[in-house]
Amino acid sequence: MSRSAPPLPRHRGALSAAVRDALLNRSALPDTAAAGPADPYGDDLQLALYTCYELHYRGFEGVDPGREWDAALLSVRASLEDRFLTALRRDVPGPEPLDALLADLLVQPVDSDGVPQFLAKRGTFENLREYARQRSLYHLKEADPHAWVLPRLSGRAKAAMAAVEFDEFGGGRAERVHARLFADLMSDLGLNTGYGHYLDSGYAEMLALVNAMSLFGLHRTMRGALVGHFAAVEITSSPASRHLARAMARTGAGPAAQHFYDEHVEADAVHEQVVRNEVIGGLLDEEPELEPDIAFGVAAASFLEDRLGRRFLAAWGA
């Protein structure tokens, strides 16, 4: 997995083109009002927002690292965030009690036929490659967006969150960092392991999923939503990973490909308990008023995953 910054992605509309050109010092930034009429879940807005956020991770080849805190760019980013977050608050189902939301995540319908089940039962090797290409936009920086919340927590919640993140980052062993394990999976599938290599082919639904993590993580006021999002990821990961490990084995994808999901079956079964009881429990003990925000984060994660799942299944069904 390369440590170098990826090239800037190709634009997908006026917003992403303006942000791209501004980062290359070719033009001025778009007006903040330009986000108003844009599709909040569309390619153009989501790519523009992803590009802004990526400056807080690895950055881009040929872009001045100082642009990370460019005041004018942050103003544009805020307008993109507002358009996206307003849509999420409008479209995410709710409000439901937090306990009910978490309980629902633990129940898998017997006749469920989501993406992991599809891949386990009848997915092709090329389906798995496409799944990995899309997921690489998150998994090659797995757990990084959620780490933003650590300075915003204290006590039980902070200690438990740090413990889970320590596992995600390999428990002190570089070869066990989950992003490294996913790069090994990609190698087994014959894919390029370069960080951000597949950004140009990333679905808008995948960009939105990663953008939500960055949005929640980079705003202290959204710390409850970030914890809720993280809980949804950890609770649903173990059962989904069991199906995906079976898909890798059935298609002969390779030992590293299967190991990535086998690792998540075991690790995330433990993480789920820690996140529910210690991270969420500890945060609510200190800040009970954040319960609606945590519930929103859980529901938003499910909403965006469902949109991505429908995109995958529609493409493969066609």
Side-chain angles (χ1 to χ4, degrees):
M1 182 174 61
S2 172
R3 290 181 52 82
S4 60
L8 277 163
R10 295 189 295 269
H11 72 83
R12 303 187 192 179
L15 281 172
S16 52
V19 169
R20 184 184 194 279
D21 287 348
L23 290 176
L24 293 174
N25 299 313
R26 294 176 180 170
S27 66
L29 284 161
D31 189 276
T32 55
D39 178 354
Y41 305 114
D43 282 287
D44 191 26
L45 184 141
Q46 290 298 328
L47 181 60
L49 187 53
Y50 191 102
T51 302
C52 291
Y53 284 144
E54 190 55 41
L55 299 177
H56 297 290
Y57 295 102
R58 302 279 186 92
F60 291 103
E61 183 182 285
V63 175
D64 179 1
R67 298 302 294 272
E68 178 182 6
W69 298 111
D70 182 297
L73 182 60
L74 291 176
S75 181
V76 170
R77 193 191 87 187
S79 69
L80 300 171
E81 288 176 329
D82 182 66
R83 181 77 175 119
F84 182 34
L85 185 57
T86 298
L88 283 177
R89 292 201 181 280
R90 179 194 67 210
D91 298 334
V92 169
E96 286 188 55
L98 177 58
D99 287 345
L101 283 170
L102 296 175
D104 286 346
L105 292 178
L106 291 167
V107 177
Q108 272 199 318
V110 174
D111 60 350
S112 176
D113 199 17
V115 169
Q117 293 87 343
F118 174 92
L119 291 172
K121 294 175 185 175
R122 56 188 182 277
T124 66
F125 187 70
E126 187 51 45
N127 292 154
L128 292 175
R129 282 166 52 85
E130 177 60 12
Y131 184 77
R133 281 192 287 266
Q134 296 297 324
R135 288 288 182 179
S136 71
L137 299 185
Y138 168 63
H139 281 303
L140 290 182
K141 58 182 171 194
E142 184 171 339
D144 289 352
H146 296 114
W148 295 113
V149 82
L150 283 168
R152 287 88 186 258
L153 301 176
S154 61
R156 278 172 58 207
K158 188 185 192 88
M161 187 75 185
V164 174
E165 289 284 89
F166 183 65
D167 283 350
E168 300 284 345
F169 296 137
R173 295 170 58 187
E175 73 277 9
R176 293 187 61 82
V177 172
H178 285 190
R180 174 71 260 175
L181 295 180
F182 194 80
D184 295 340
L185 172 151
M186 295 179 74
S187 291
D188 267 4
L189 296 177
L191 298 174
N192 189 303
T193 63
Y195 179 92
H197 179 80
Y198 293 106
L199 178 54
D200 274 327
S201 59
Y203 299 160
E205 293 85 352
M206 188 67 219
L207 298 178
L209 188 64
V210 182
N211 282 341
M213 301 182 207
S214 298
L215 170 59
F216 297 161
L218 287 167
H219 291 271
R220 186 169 61 85
T221 57
M222 301 296 293
R223 62 193 180 281
L226 192 283
V227 165
H229 188 287
F230 190 60
V233 170
E234 295 300 318
I235 290 171
T236 58
S237 176
S238 184
S241 293
R242 188 172 290 107
H243 292 297
L244 292 165
R246 190 153 51 243
M248 296 296 174
R250 183 179 60 78
T251 58
Q258 185 171 345
H259 174 68
F260 177 82
Y261 290 110
D262 284 338
E263 170 77 10
H264 282 70
V265 170
E266 296 182 13
D268 291 342
V270 175
H271 292 172
E272 174 254 313
Q273 294 288 327
V274 175
V275 173
R276 280 200 301 143
N277 298 324
E278 298 301 317
V279 180
I280 291 179
L283 182 57
L284 288 177
D285 281 349
E286 293 195 3
E287 300 182 271
E289 69 278 8
L290 292 183
E291 183 169 348
D293 290 346
I294 299 172
F296 172 68
V298 173
S302 298
F303 172 77
L304 293 169
E305 280 285 1
D306 287 347
R307 293 182 76 255
L308 177 61
R310 290 193 295 272
R311 175 70 183 266
F312 277 127
L313 294 175
W316 297 335

